[in-house]
Amino acid sequence: MDMTLITDPSLIFLHQDWQSKEEVLDHLINAFASEGVVNDKAVYKQAVLDREKISETGFENGFAIPHGKSVAVTKPAVAIVTLKKPLASAAWASTDPTNQVELIFLLAIPESQKGDAYLKILSDLAVRLMDEKLVDQLKHANTADQVIQLLGKKNQEATTTIKETKKRPKQILAITACATGIAHTYMAAEALQKAAAAKGVQIHVEKQGANGIEDGITPEMLKDADGVIFATDIAAKGKERFKGIPFVQTKVAEPLKHGEAMIDQVLNHPDGVVQGEAAASEVATTGKKQSWQSTLMQSVMTGISYMIPILVAAGVMIGLSQIGASFFGLNKVIGDPKMATNANQMIVLLYYMGQCGNMAMKFMYPIFTAFMAYSIADRPAIAPGFVGGAFAAGFQFILLGNAKGIPSGFFGALFLGALVGFLVKYMNEHIHLNKNFSAMKPMLILPGVSILVVFLANFFIVDPVFGGLNAWLQQMVLTYKDSSEVLLSSIIACLTAFDLGGPVNKAAGAVAIGMAADKVFPLTPRVLSIVIPPIGIGLATLIDKYVVGRHVFDEDLRVSGKTSLLLGFLAIGEGAIPFALANPLITIPINMLGATLGSVTAVLLGAVQWYPLPAVWGWPLVQNFPAYAVGILVGVLFIALTNIFIRFHIIRKKEKTTTAVK
């Protein structure tokens, strides 16, 4: 979209003395109000601030693109400001931690604006600002007319390059995809296009973003391709299209730093040649292969990215049910089936809302394992992966009416997702049929054999091992229920934080609630250990760059962190599950230690909670709340800081190793 169509000289402010993010936003929103762009400044500002909480709107080279989509916006518009003195890097969160914002574009988008148009405005602007020369010219512009003229200029160099590249023999393709599917997807595409132009190579980039596939690669392009670059943080869709084409696999941010080197690599030293329906572990004819560890990690991140919407939606429904029930004093019993026949229809609605949220939450593991397996072996692995996740979630016990069955939880989901992915990939590469029977492989052999193997593996290995581990931990709670308050608090806290709402957590809860009902031991460690891990891990994603000067979590986990923080205050521990799945050996022990430290601290200081109300609305019922708050603070800070420093150490170690190798 032409930016000059949605701005005006009255919305452009140059070389201002504004000294904070708040001051910038207030001035620009006032300008929107004066021009009739927004009819309610407070509502629109809240939309902008809410967007700021999701992820950084500062980028690099001194620019930021805050934006808000709201019913208070009457028409799309952009306000622009340049500052005399750049803001400190800590004043405006950016993808580059050292970025000092001095050029700001504030977008106002009507709520009724179609999603593709909204993303088009944002992505077009982000791509334009990849041009360092344009950014520098905008920073030094002295009049609003100059700014409008710069934004309205056609990119003559790009037009010339396109005409020239039609004559060039080397043609490469690329796919860009980041976890959120917005800014980096488009910025990486622009970086590759610039790099290709500089190298005299023709390129076509397919963006797989939040709005689906844009600029899709056609069969004609595939015929003439000399190579393909997969710049993705998640599994790219449709990799089987590129069979026989040399490829390079890298992260989405890599083209921003080494675009020209990647062009050289794919043409001269590719990672391999795409084989069949391989998804994340393509094999080269030269024998070069992506390591199984890298393949596994990418598959986990892909599964998490598809799982997050289920997690968020289910958490919101459960949270709204609990919040609504609290107004009727029914938060402790809103899940009782009797609520379905209550005379008050609002209570009935809240009951079903919570139950449907719980039902949706059970699909978390099937979605995770389905797309984890898909990342490794593409579409043939989705169905058996879903079945494996259903086993991990305990669907077999529900359907068979086995109330004593203990599901394997996220350990089972990780194991079965990896098993399905690598099994289907192996069979797909090694089973060769006559062309007359080729349809049998994806429709019968791959799903039939893999689902049978999943069943057998779950029956003989996963349920006995991981379900047995969970059962042993449950028994530990029963064994030590008569121990001292510190030991008992530690056991309950560890087991509550172990699997974040899973069977061990529920077993610890059953024993703890039973002891509280008999007035044997209060629920203090239990309720604290529900909220401490998700709040702690969520806080870590917000403060890491201030503590160690850089982000230590991937972009998709930073998005998950904000969700985890919110769900933690609602006592929904599942918000921290993406972190446990991505790094179980780091996350789980830290969660258990943090929950234990916080719980024991609160108990020793005299905090007492007899009611099973861990969410914020239950805090007023705590006896000696200051001690309770200190316990939360101790546990949350331990989890946040320990996660940050351990992950930072691992990153630095990898960087030193990479430098030494070079």
Side-chain angles (χ1 to χ4, degrees):
M1 175 177 283
D2 188 348
M3 288 293 114
T4 62
L5 299 178
I6 57 173
T7 192
D8 185 86
S10 61
L11 296 175
I12 299 174
F13 305 87
L14 303 177
H15 312 302
Q16 299 297 312
D17 290 317
W18 304 339
Q19 298 179 1
S20 69
K21 182 178 183 179
E22 184 83 8
E23 188 176 3
V24 169
L25 294 178
D26 284 342
H27 276 91
L28 297 185
I29 292 172
N30 285 336
F32 277 154
S34 298
E35 295 300 314
V37 174
V38 299
N39 54 31
D40 190 319
K41 293 190 291 185
V43 171
Y44 172 68
K45 182 177 180 180
Q46 189 58 51
V48 174
L49 295 178
D50 288 344
R51 175 57 187 83
E52 290 291 303
K53 295 175 183 177
I54 296 175
S55 62
E56 302 90 341
T57 56
F59 290 90
E60 51 208 12
N61 199 22
F63 71 86
I65 313 176
H67 46 283
K69 190 175 183 182
S70 170
V71 293
V73 179
T74 60
K75 58 184 178 181
V78 57
I80 306 166
V81 62
T82 60
L83 302 177
K84 286 184 179 178
K85 182 179 179 182
L87 301 179
S89 57
W92 200 305
S94 303
T95 54
D96 177 1
T98 64
N99 186 47
Q100 295 183 310
V101 172
E102 57 180 313
L103 172 63
I104 301 103
F105 294 78
L106 177 62
L107 300 182
I109 311 294
E111 183 66 39
S112 58
Q113 190 86 50
K114 291 183 179 179
D116 55 349
Y118 163 55
L119 291 175
K120 185 68 174 171
I121 294 172
L122 181 59
S123 61
D124 282 355
L125 181 57
V127 167
R128 288 292 306 277
L129 295 178
M130 287 290 294
D131 185 340
E132 294 183 6
K133 182 179 178 181
L134 173 63
V135 172
D136 187 63
Q137 290 174 328
L138 289 169
K139 290 177 184 177
H140 293 92
N142 292 314
T143 68
D145 288 339
Q146 286 180 338
V147 172
I148 292 175
Q149 185 179 10
L150 287 168
L151 291 175
K153 276 187 176 181
K154 300 293 183 183
N155 192 334
Q156 298 297 335
E157 294 180 2
T159 303
T160 302
T161 299
I162 291 173
K163 291 179 180 178
E164 291 176 354
T165 54
K166 290 181 180 178
K167 304 175 184 179
R168 296 173 181 137
K170 294 296 182 181
Q171 301 181 41
I172 60 176
L173 305 172
I175 292 178
T176 59
C178 63
T180 55
I182 304 179
H184 279 87
T185 297
Y186 299 94
M187 294 172 73
E190 177 73 4
L192 285 172
Q193 289 165 343
K194 286 186 176 182
K199 301 294 291 184
V201 175
Q202 184 173 348
I203 189 171
H204 181 92
V205 186
E206 176 179 293
K207 279 83 73 177
Q208 297 185 359
N211 202 46
I213 293 177
E214 297 180 39
D215 300 322
I217 292 169
T218 66
E220 290 73 21
M221 296 175 186
L222 292 168
K223 292 177 183 177
D224 300 326
D226 295 298
V228 57
I229 297 171
F230 299 118
T232 63
D233 283 346
I234 61 175
K237 300 181 181 73
K239 277 191 174 180
E240 69 277 1
R241 294 173 288 169
F242 303 93
K243 181 179 180 180
I245 299 176
F247 77 94
V248 167
Q249 175 71 59
T250 187
K251 290 189 174 296
V252 73
E254 196 65 20
L256 304 181
K257 307 172 188 174
H258 307 115
E260 292 188 27
M262 293 180 62
I263 301 295
D264 286 335
Q265 183 183 354
V266 75
L267 291 175
N268 302 308
H269 306 287
D271 290 342
V273 176
V274 180
Q275 298 290 321
E277 295 188 348
S281 53
E282 296 83 358
V283 181
T285 54
T286 59
K288 188 175 180 180
K289 183 178 180 181
Q290 182 175 338
S291 70
W292 70 268
Q293 296 97 328
S294 299
T295 299
L296 183 62
M297 180 52 66
Q298 185 185 45
S299 73
V300 171
M301 299 311 296
T302 300
I304 290 172
S305 70
Y306 281 96
M307 179 186 76
I308 288 172
I310 288 285
L311 181 66
V312 173
V316 168
M317 292 181 71
I318 295 169
L320 289 175
S321 173
Q322 290 288 329
I323 292 171
S326 67
F327 289 106
F328 298 97
L330 297 173
N331 16 356
K332 290 193 291 183
V333 295
I334 191 62
D336 191 319
K338 293 179 181 178
M339 296 295 105
T341 57
N342 194 285
N344 188 327
Q345 289 302 302
M346 180 57 70
I347 293 175
V348 173
L349 177 65
L350 293 171
Y351 165 77
Y352 281 112
M353 183 182 296
Q355 293 304 302
C356 287
N358 287 323
M359 178 189 71
M361 192 74 78
K362 291 185 182 300
F363 286 95
M364 176 174 59
Y365 288 134
I367 293 295
F368 169 77
T369 51
F371 285 97
M372 180 182 172
Y374 160 79
S375 175
I376 299 171
D378 215 87
R379 288 187 301 173
I382 291 180
F386 190 90
V387 172
F391 283 137
F395 279 34
Q396 70 275 30
F397 301 127
I398 297 172
L399 295 175
L400 297 174
N402 182 0
K404 296 182 179 180
I406 301 175
S408 55
F410 51 72
F411 284 127
L414 281 170
F415 182 91
L416 292 171
L419 173 65
V420 169
F422 287 113
L423 173 64
V424 172
K425 180 180 182 301
Y426 180 85
M427 290 194 297
N428 205 16
E429 291 175 353
H430 292 83
I431 295 176
H432 304 286
L433 300 177
N434 181 283
K435 64 180 182 179
N436 295 322
F437 300 98
S438 59
M440 292 178 60
K441 186 166 76 170
M443 298 300 294
L444 174 63
I445 297 174
L446 296 182
V449 172
S450 56
I451 289 177
L452 177 60
V453 170
V454 165
F455 164 73
L456 294 173
N458 187 73
F459 190 85
F460 289 108
I461 301 173
V462 177
D463 272 352
V465 173
F466 297 120
L469 172 64
N470 293 343
W472 175 76
L473 292 171
Q474 290 182 17
Q475 186 60 39
M476 185 186 294
V477 177
L478 294 170
T479 302
Y480 291 99
K481 69 179 181 180
D482 297 323
S483 301
S484 69
E485 65 176 13
V486 171
L487 178 58
L488 187 56
S489 294
S490 300
I491 293 171
I492 291 174
C494 279
L495 299 183
T496 298
F498 172 73
D499 60 353
L500 303 165
V504 175
N505 175 295
K506 289 179 170 58
V511 173
I513 290 171
M515 289 190 293
D518 295 335
K519 294 298 179 182
V520 173
F521 192 74
L523 282 166
T524 315
R526 164 70 179 172
V527 293
L528 280 168
S529 300
I530 291 174
V531 301
I532 286 175
I535 295 176
I537 198 75
L539 179 64
T541 64
L542 296 180
I543 67 172
D544 55 352
K545 61 182 177 182
Y546 304 110
V547 176
V548 295
R550 65 186 296 176
H551 286 300
V552 299
F553 296 92
D554 293 333
E555 182 181 1
D556 51 348
L557 287 183
R558 296 204 299 273
V559 175
S560 298
K562 297 175 178 66
T563 301
S564 179
L565 184 67
L566 173 62
L567 295 181
F569 284 101
L570 298 177
I572 301 173
E574 284 85 352
I577 284 180
F579 298 87
L581 288 168
N583 301 98
L585 297 180
I586 296 175
T587 306
I588 296 172
I590 294 175
N591 282 348
M592 295 169 71
L593 287 172
T596 299
L597 285 173
S599 299
V600 170
T601 299
V603 169
L604 290 178
L605 290 176
V608 177
Q609 168 64 298
W610 287 101
Y611 302 101
L613 298 173
V616 291
W617 49 80
W619 294 1
L621 300 176
V622 176
Q623 300 172 29
N624 194 354
F625 180 75
Y628 189 84
V630 169
I632 292 178
L633 186 62
V634 168
V636 164
L637 288 178
F638 175 85
I639 289 175
L641 295 176
T642 306
N643 266 288
I644 291 170
F645 287 123
I646 289 179
R647 293 167 191 267
F648 179 65
H649 171 74
I650 293 172
I651 291 171
R652 290 295 301 273
K653 187 175 180 180
K654 287 181 179 178
E655 289 176 344
K656 289 179 180 178
T657 302
T658 302
T659 303
V661 170
K662 291 181 179 179

